[in-house]
Amino acid sequence: MFIVEFNGELINNKKEGNGIMKYNNGDIYDGKWMNDKFVNGKITYNNGNEYEGNCDDKKKKGHGIMKYKNEELYDGYWENDVREGSGILIMKIYS
């Protein structure tokens, strides 16, 4: 995955502050950047999933909400891009 476009603030040639990063695979990172790392905001994945919350260099970490394209939702804590700790998973039941 490589960068197609970045619109936002740069300090000393590093992403800092608010910005939107678009990647060649269609993923979009829209939010706060610190020292060239994505730390908080909304990620729209090319598969239709959306995440909003805290990150550590583009990996989900801390509290966040993931909305899956299959209409499931997870509101809770993450560590290294994996659900970890307390949270609520709301699943769609098909009949």
Side-chain angles (χ1 to χ4, degrees):
M1 170 167 83
F2 61 88
I3 299 167
V4 174
E5 178 182 344
F6 177 75
N7 290 313
E9 303 170 47
L10 295 173
I11 296 177
N12 295 325
N13 231 11
K14 293 184 178 182
K15 295 175 282 300
E16 190 76 36
N18 294 316
I20 301 173
M21 177 79 77
K22 296 180 182 178
Y23 289 93
N24 68 319
N25 70 348
D27 290 352
I28 300 170
Y29 291 71
D30 183 356
K32 185 173 181 181
W33 299 78
M34 291 178 64
N35 197 29
D36 224 26
K37 297 179 180 181
F38 187 75
V39 295
N40 184 278
K42 181 178 181 181
I43 303 170
T44 304
Y45 295 97
N46 63 4
N47 65 3
N49 295 341
E50 293 181 351
Y51 172 80
E52 190 157 351
N54 296 318
C55 293
D56 182 16
D57 195 20
K58 296 179 271 186
K59 290 188 176 183
K60 297 177 282 296
K61 181 176 182 174
H63 182 260
I65 299 170
M66 176 69 95
K67 296 176 185 174
Y68 298 93
K69 70 177 181 178
N70 66 359
E71 299 180 25
E72 293 180 356
L73 182 136
Y74 175 75
D75 182 347
Y77 289 87
W78 300 80
E79 184 66 40
N80 200 28
D81 241 10
V82 176
R83 294 186 292 216
E84 179 84 24
S86 62
I88 298 170
L89 177 62
I90 300 171
M91 301 175 72
K92 185 174 182 177
I93 299 175
Y94 298 94
S95 54

